[in-house]
Amino acid sequence: MAATAGRFTCLYTYPLRQASRTFISSSTTSLRSFASEAAPPTGSEPSPSATPKRRPTYFKDSPVPTLTEFISLLEEPLTVEDALELRTAMVGPAGKKKQITRLPEWLKTPIPNNSNYKKIKKDLRGLKLHTVCEEARCPNISECWGGSDKSTATATIMLMGDTCTRGCRFCSVKTSKTPPPLDIHEPEHTAEALSRWGLGYVVLTSVDRDDLADGGARHFAETIMKIKQKKPEMHVEALTGDYAGDLEMVALVARSGLDVYAHNMETVEELTPFVRDRRAKFRQSLTVLEAAKKTVPSLITKTSIMLGLGETEDQLLETLKELRKIDVDIVTFGQYMRPTKRHMKVEEYVTPEKFEAWRQRALDMGFLYCASGPLVRSSYKAGEAFIENVLKKRKAKTLLGDEVMRVQKDVVLP
């Protein structure tokens, strides 16, 4: 029995764990531990040589500029010739380098990095809202979201999720044949967020939802009505899809109480099959804008066209004539910028002078307003301010006319 037990443990010694506990308890009761130094005498101060020195580190001790300071370092201003010159660069590993064209100076924008930008983004995420500013990688996000306070900022809310059922060759929004179902609380959340910000003008847009019977028109209209209920004085612009040519759905949105009905042509008729999804047609888009105007004649209708896709001046001029035939009020021109390598290439970087020339030509043709520039998008801050003033003047004129009619009715003729 003893021989058998000896194979596993010694019967005459403490177990190892108990012995270690006894050793630790006895060492802690003594004045010194084995790894400690002798305590200095009472009343004496430690010598300077005994104070450990902190190891110097480059990143903590050297004044290294932050990313924002590094980017904003002052540079010599470029001459007009240098600014308009397109520059190239060789990128890639050795032996596989390829030449790329760098963005012109007039297309470079600051990195969004301020407190107001972060506040707006936090509000949007908290209410589970999406913006076309983020999904479409808009270059103006630092300008539109970077106002001194949220009441001067502009954000284009994108309804019905962040996944589109169409795949246009210029757009970076996610695509899927079966996107997630609609959020039934989105209209209320959107109205709550916009009323909280205290904006005077708001832009609503949406992805295309060909998987829905109405294309999402009722969801869009409900959102507009809830915004008007919470803040009737707010001006609402709706940038809608074509609803697969269903003009009843176009009329439903047009009668929901909005102030500006927008639908983008995107490009000229000749390039539409190569730029937009096959379900989006040039003539169909013209019909949408015409139907909105006929449904509510007081509506301001608006569209946007991208330049730099390979269009010619004659094609662009013909497009403007078609828009004037159906009484479109506002047109905007902006530079097409390739989101990723999977999208269409940029055929031309149009200069600011050409954009200005097209702006003047559009005004000469009778458009109420035209925003034209390399960084202009369909929802542009300066354009919204102008449209807001136009709407206020129209409302004031309408109220004045109603007051005159009331006074005339009260006058009793002899």
Side-chain angles (χ1 to χ4, degrees):
M1 181 69 183
T4 306
R7 294 176 58 191
F8 299 96
T9 182
C10 180
L11 299 176
Y12 303 100
T13 60
Y14 288 108
L16 179 61
R17 182 174 298 177
Q18 184 176 353
S20 63
R21 288 176 179 172
T22 305
F23 173 75
I24 294 173
S25 61
S26 62
S27 63
T28 54
T29 56
S30 60
L31 295 176
R32 292 179 57 193
S33 62
F34 291 109
S36 64
E37 298 178 356
T42 306
S44 63
E45 297 181 357
S47 61
S49 60
T51 305
K53 293 184 178 180
R54 184 171 64 89
R55 181 181 177 182
T57 58
Y58 172 78
F59 294 103
K60 293 183 179 179
D61 298 336
S62 301
V64 180
T66 63
L67 175 63
T68 305
E69 294 172 344
F70 178 78
I71 295 173
S72 61
L73 292 177
L74 294 177
E75 297 180 356
E76 295 183 3
L78 297 175
T79 63
V80 177
E81 292 76 11
D82 291 339
L84 295 179
E85 180 184 0
L86 294 181
R87 301 184 179 185
T88 59
M90 302 298 294
V91 298
K96 296 183 179 180
K97 290 186 178 293
K98 60 180 181 179
Q99 182 175 325
I100 62 169
T101 302
R102 292 192 177 278
L103 283 179
E105 292 298 322
W106 63 81
L107 288 177
K108 295 182 180 180
T109 57
I111 295 177
N113 184 26
N114 61 7
S115 58
N116 197 50
Y117 169 84
K118 296 174 182 177
K119 287 179 182 178
I120 292 180
K121 190 170 185 177
K122 183 178 180 181
D123 285 350
L124 292 169
R125 295 295 84 81
L127 293 171
K128 298 181 180 180
L129 300 177
H130 303 279
T131 66
V132 73
C133 317
E134 296 173 295
E135 301 298 332
R137 305 182 184 185
C138 180
N140 297 318
I141 192 168
S142 60
E143 178 185 355
C144 293
W145 289 23
S148 57
D149 54 64
K150 284 187 284 190
S151 63
T152 61
T154 302
T156 302
I157 304 297
M158 188 164 69
L159 304 176
M160 298 187 280
D162 61 350
T163 306
C164 186
T165 55
R166 298 188 182 183
C168 295
R169 295 163 184 85
F170 63 89
C171 184
S172 64
V173 175
K174 292 185 294 186
T175 60
S176 173
K177 292 182 180 179
T178 56
L182 297 181
D183 180 6
I184 60 175
H185 302 293
E186 186 178 50
E188 180 65 29
H189 288 170
T190 303
E192 176 62 28
L194 297 175
S195 61
R196 182 188 303 173
W197 291 346
L199 300 175
Y201 191 101
V202 62
V203 182
L204 302 177
T205 187
S206 71
V207 293
D208 282 299
R209 294 297 299 262
D210 297 293
D211 59 315
L212 303 176
D214 63 349
R218 292 179 175 84
H219 189 87
F220 212 129
E222 181 185 357
T223 305
I224 297 172
M225 289 187 285
K226 285 188 176 295
I227 293 173
K228 289 292 186 177
Q229 288 173 2
K230 288 183 176 291
K231 196 171 182 183
E233 67 274 13
M234 180 182 290
H235 296 114
V236 180
E237 174 184 330
L239 175 58
T240 74
D242 56 20
Y243 301 115
D246 190 344
L247 300 185
E248 290 185 4
M249 297 300 102
V250 174
L252 175 68
V253 177
R255 288 193 293 261
S256 62
L258 77 167
D259 302 284
V260 179
Y261 194 108
H263 175 69
N264 290 342
M265 302 298 299
E266 307 296 3
T267 187
V268 298
E269 185 172 11
E270 290 78 3
L271 295 180
T272 296
F274 309 101
V275 175
R276 304 174 71 186
D277 185 272
R278 58 180 177 79
R279 289 163 286 187
K281 301 176 178 61
F282 184 85
R283 294 291 164 181
Q284 184 169 276
S285 293
L286 288 176
T287 305
V288 168
L289 290 167
E290 184 178 17
K293 194 74 167 182
K294 288 182 177 179
T295 303
V296 183
S298 61
L299 269 182
I300 292 179
T301 49
K302 175 183 173 183
T303 192
S304 181
I305 299 173
M306 295 179 293
L307 304 185
L309 291 166
E311 67 286 338
T312 64
E313 289 193 6
D314 292 338
Q315 293 170 349
L316 192 53
L317 185 60
E318 187 62 30
T319 302
L320 293 179
K321 291 179 180 178
E322 293 287 348
L323 293 172
R324 286 307 302 144
K325 287 180 183 178
I326 58 174
D327 201 21
V328 172
D329 299 296
I330 296 172
V331 63
T332 65
F333 298 107
Q335 170 70 51
Y336 165 64
M337 297 176 69
R338 189 183 190 186
T340 68
K341 293 181 179 179
R342 298 182 294 104
H343 295 82
M344 292 185 63
K345 292 183 178 180
V346 178
E347 296 295 332
E348 178 189 5
Y349 286 115
V350 183
T351 62
E353 289 75 16
K354 285 187 179 180
F355 276 106
E356 176 59 25
W358 279 113
R359 186 190 73 84
Q360 191 57 50
R361 185 173 295 185
L363 294 176
D364 294 340
M365 293 178 67
F367 285 95
L368 176 66
Y369 177 73
C370 175
S372 180
L375 295 175
V376 169
R377 294 298 178 261
S378 56
S379 302
Y380 190 61
K381 197 171 182 180
E384 291 164 9
F386 176 85
I387 299 169
E388 185 178 359
N389 290 331
V390 171
L391 292 171
K392 287 180 179 178
K393 289 180 181 179
R394 285 189 177 184
K395 185 176 181 180
K397 188 179 295 184
T398 303
L399 293 175
L400 181 60
D402 294 342
E403 182 67 18
V404 171
M405 292 293 294
R406 187 185 64 79
V407 171
Q408 289 177 349
K409 289 180 181 179
D410 292 341
V411 173
V412 179
L413 296 177

